[in-house]
């Protein structure tokens, strides 16, 4: 083995000196080293074409030795200069590449950059890719050392009961002034009026099919008139009304509902230049209890909201405290109460056309199939600013249990327009 290495080195030295002498004596001729190297590459390409291989990646890897920085491979020299070896066992492509490299070793040893020993000393690149990288220093031990013992710190767990109640409301206080001079060609009289209203809501919904809605409406208005010599002022709006509904969910929007409706007024109801009292507190008091279903309304991107209650089975109770008013409310003389059964419909809707215009409507209808009572309240609100609004109130009413009027029949009508303060909470 030692004799073989000495022989290889001797041949390389002789080839180097011979090549240098040729370059010196004949610089004008084509460099034979280049020519020999090109011929070797051509020969290697020809051998590659004749090789039948199924894996092109293996062939491409063998070309690495030709196009990488020139390295002296011991195996290449041994294969070419072997005296005892069997060249038939060498792959044809490997033999062609070895021949091209050997030509360069012998003719241009000055181009050799590395040796195979240096490559092995540097190590293989692929070996590092398969090995996991582990940090030499455990930073967690230095940054956050583990305590020797852990103290048990008592923690108080507070479970708060969810609040299923919601509260809201609104109110307004508005005024109206009307002046008419004494010589106004159409006649008339000056008057002042004021109306205030407050609506309070307390609703319960446990999100599991049970809800309980409560609404209290209070409204009171006064007016003055120079033509009325008996009263300094009298009411033009007077209402105390409570609506309560207990519901059990049937579907997404339908509820089985028990509804209680009760309403009366604050003070006496009077007319101009008339001593008679037409209505009073608890005269009458109407209580309606209905069993049916309630439908929740949400439409037009939730701008139209409210509910519609249908009670096929409804009980109505009426009480009149003043003896003089019993007959006017359909109660027999000597009695203060009246009860009857029938069907009832109640619809309360709010339609918000825009941020400043909204419409509230309430339709109430009750019938015993002998008498009918229908009330339709409409309030159109124009919100001028956060605290200033104007209201247009239109209230037609039908009641065939009262005496028939020569002009209006069983119909009654109320309307007003006002401007003033309003507040939502």
């Amino acid at each position: 083995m030692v004799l073989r290495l000495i022989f290889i080195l001797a041949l390389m030295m002789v080839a180097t000196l011979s090549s240098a002498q040729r370059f010196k004596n004949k610089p004008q001729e084509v460099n034979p080293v280049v020519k020999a190297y090109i011929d070797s590459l051509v020969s290697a390409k020809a051998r590659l074409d004749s090789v039948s291989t199924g894996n092109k990646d293996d062939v491409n890897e063998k070309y690495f030795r030709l196009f990488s920085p020139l390295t002296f491979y011991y195996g290449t020299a041994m294969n070419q200069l072997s005296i005892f070896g069997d060249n038939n066992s060498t792959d044809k492509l490997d033999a062609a590449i070895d021949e091209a490299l050997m030509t360069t070793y012998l003719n241009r040893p000055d181009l050799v950059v590395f040796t195979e020993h240096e490559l092995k000393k540097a190590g293989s690149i692929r070996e590092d890719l398969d090995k996991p990288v582990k940090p030499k220093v455990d930073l967690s031990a230095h940054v956050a050392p583990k305590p020797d013992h852990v103290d048990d710190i008592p923690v108080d767990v507070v479970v708060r009961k969810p609040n299923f109640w919601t509260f809201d409301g609104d109110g307004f206080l508005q005024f109206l002034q009307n002046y008419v001079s004494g010589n106004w060609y159409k006649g008339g009289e000056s008057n002042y009026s004021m109306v205030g209203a407050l609506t309070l809501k307390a609703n319960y919904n446990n999100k599991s099919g049970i809800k309980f809605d409560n609404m209290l409406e209070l409204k009171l208005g006064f007016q003055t008139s120079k033509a009325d010599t008996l009263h300094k002022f009298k009411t033009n709006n007077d209402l105390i009304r409570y609506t309560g509904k207990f519901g059990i969910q049937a579907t997404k929007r339908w509820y089985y509902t028990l509804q209680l409706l009760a309403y009366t007024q604050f003070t006496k109801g009077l007319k101009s230049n008339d001593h008679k009292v037409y209505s009073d507190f608890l005269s009458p008091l109407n209580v309606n209890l209905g069993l049916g279903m309630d439908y929740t309304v949400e439409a037009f991107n939730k701008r139209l909201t409210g509910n519609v209650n249908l009670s096929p089975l409804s009980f109505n109770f009426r009480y009149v405290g003043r003896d003089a008013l019993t007959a006017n409310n359909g109660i027999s003389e000597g009695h203060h109460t009246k009860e009857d059964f029938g069907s009832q419909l109640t619809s309360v809707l709010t339609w918000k056309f825009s941020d400043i215009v909204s419409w509230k409507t309430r339709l109430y209808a009750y019938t015993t199939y002998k008498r009918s009572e229908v009330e339709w309240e409409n309030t159109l609100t124009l919100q001028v600013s956060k605290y200033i609004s104007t209201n247009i109130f239109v209230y037609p009413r039908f009641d065939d249990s009262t005496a028939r009027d020569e002009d209006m029949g069983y119909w009654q009508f109320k309307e007003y327009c006002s401007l003033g303060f309003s507040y939502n909470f």
Side-chain angles (χ1 to χ4, degrees):
M1 186 67 178
V2 175
L3 293 175
R4 181 184 298 178
L5 292 175
I6 295 173
F7 179 71
I8 292 172
L9 294 175
L11 286 177
M12 292 178 61
M13 293 176 64
V14 171
T16 302
L17 294 174
S18 176
S19 176
Q21 184 67 26
R22 287 197 299 272
F23 285 130
K24 181 178 180 181
N25 296 334
K26 297 179 180 180
Q28 71 280 4
E29 297 179 359
V30 177
N31 192 332
V33 177
V34 177
K35 183 175 182 302
Y37 186 63
I38 294 175
D39 292 341
S40 299
L41 293 178
V42 173
S43 175
K45 178 65 170 60
R47 294 191 183 191
L48 175 63
D49 294 338
S50 63
V51 173
S52 176
T53 178
N55 192 345
K56 295 299 182 182
D57 292 337
D58 294 340
V59 176
N60 295 335
E61 291 175 357
K62 293 180 179 180
Y63 278 112
F64 172 78
R65 293 183 296 165
L66 294 177
F67 300 100
S68 63
L70 190 59
T71 303
F72 180 75
Y73 296 100
Y74 303 140
T76 299
M78 289 181 182
N79 291 335
Q80 292 296 318
L81 303 176
S82 177
I83 299 176
F84 305 101
D86 186 7
N87 292 332
N88 293 330
S89 61
T90 305
D91 184 82
K92 293 182 179 181
L93 179 58
D94 289 336
I97 295 175
D98 289 344
E99 183 179 349
L101 291 173
M102 196 63 193
T103 301
T104 307
Y105 295 161
L106 295 175
N107 292 279
R108 292 297 302 274
D110 57 304
L111 299 178
V112 178
V113 179
F114 303 109
T115 64
E116 186 175 353
H117 176 71
E118 293 174 328
L119 291 182
K120 291 182 178 180
K121 186 177 180 181
S124 174
I125 298 176
R126 291 177 176 267
E127 291 178 359
D128 296 337
L129 298 178
D130 298 332
K131 296 179 180 180
V133 179
K134 297 182 179 180
K136 296 181 179 180
V137 181
D138 187 3
L139 297 178
S140 61
H142 295 275
V143 177
K146 296 182 179 180
D148 296 335
H149 63 280
V150 179
D151 296 331
D152 294 333
I153 302 175
V155 178
D156 294 332
V157 179
V158 179
V159 179
R160 297 185 181 275
K161 185 178 180 180
N163 184 14
F164 298 121
W165 286 93
T166 59
F167 304 92
D168 61 86
D170 59 77
F172 63 83
L173 179 62
Q174 300 186 337
F175 305 90
L176 178 64
Q177 182 266 335
N178 180 32
Y179 172 76
V180 178
S181 64
N183 61 345
W184 183 248
Y185 76 105
K186 286 187 176 180
E189 62 178 353
S190 301
N191 60 76
Y192 300 89
S193 63
M194 177 194 72
V195 59
L198 179 64
T199 302
L200 302 174
K201 296 180 181 179
N203 299 329
Y204 174 88
N205 190 342
N206 67 352
K207 309 299 181 181
S208 298
I210 302 296
K211 71 174 185 177
F212 179 37
D213 297 340
N214 299 272
M215 181 171 62
L216 178 63
E217 300 170 87
L218 307 174
K219 185 181 293 186
L220 184 60
F222 298 95
Q223 69 177 17
T224 64
S225 175
K226 291 182 179 181
D228 188 0
T229 59
L230 297 179
H231 313 103
K232 291 184 178 180
F233 57 86
K234 51 186 177 290
T235 60
N236 56 4
N237 275 280
D238 197 351
L239 176 67
I240 304 174
R241 182 166 59 206
Y242 167 77
T243 305
K245 291 186 295 183
F246 177 80
I248 299 176
Q249 189 170 18
T251 62
K252 182 179 180 180
R253 296 184 182 274
W254 285 97
Y255 285 80
Y256 301 107
T257 305
L258 180 65
Q259 176 178 273
L260 174 65
L261 174 63
Y263 59 95
T264 184
Q265 62 190 61
F266 285 98
T267 186
K268 300 176 182 179
L270 305 172
K271 292 185 179 181
S272 296
N273 298 314
D274 191 347
H275 290 282
K276 182 180 178 180
V277 176
Y278 288 85
S279 61
D280 200 353
F281 179 68
L282 299 181
S283 295
L285 167 66
N286 290 282
V287 179
N288 185 282
L289 184 65
L291 181 63
M293 298 196 73
D294 192 86
Y295 178 76
T296 302
V297 178
E298 284 187 3
F300 305 111
N301 198 21
K302 294 186 178 181
R303 289 188 174 274
L304 177 60
T305 58
N307 55 77
V308 178
N309 181 267
L310 302 172
S311 298
L313 180 60
S314 181
F315 170 74
N316 190 78
F317 171 80
R318 178 175 291 177
Y319 170 79
V320 177
R322 282 178 171 264
D323 295 332
L325 300 179
T326 55
N328 293 340
N329 290 276
I331 299 176
S332 303
E333 185 178 354
H335 295 80
H336 292 274
T337 61
K338 180 180 180 180
E339 304 85 15
D340 50 28
F341 290 89
S343 300
Q344 174 260 128
L345 165 69
T346 305
S347 173
V348 180
L349 301 174
T350 300
W351 194 342
K352 194 171 184 179
F353 298 107
S354 66
D355 293 337
I356 61 174
V357 181
S358 63
W359 172 45
K360 283 186 177 181
T361 179
R362 174 185 179 271
L363 177 63
Y364 170 78
Y366 173 78
T367 179
T368 63
Y369 306 103
K370 293 183 179 179
R371 70 176 184 88
S372 298
E373 182 180 341
V374 181
E375 299 176 346
W376 188 23
E377 302 175 32
N378 298 273
T379 304
L380 184 66
T381 302
L382 175 62
Q383 196 72 35
V384 180
S385 66
K386 184 177 181 180
Y387 299 110
I388 303 296
S389 68
T390 181
N391 288 345
I392 299 176
F393 182 74
V394 179
Y395 183 9
R397 185 177 186 275
F398 178 88
D399 187 358
D400 59 5
S401 65
T402 61
R404 181 181 177 87
D405 185 78
E406 296 181 358
D407 297 328
M408 299 289 293
Y410 295 113
W411 283 98
Q412 305 168 20
F413 189 79
K414 177 189 288 188
E415 177 270 336
Y416 69 82
C417 179
S418 60
L419 174 67
F421 302 99
S422 63
Y423 184 71
N424 296 324
F425 55 90

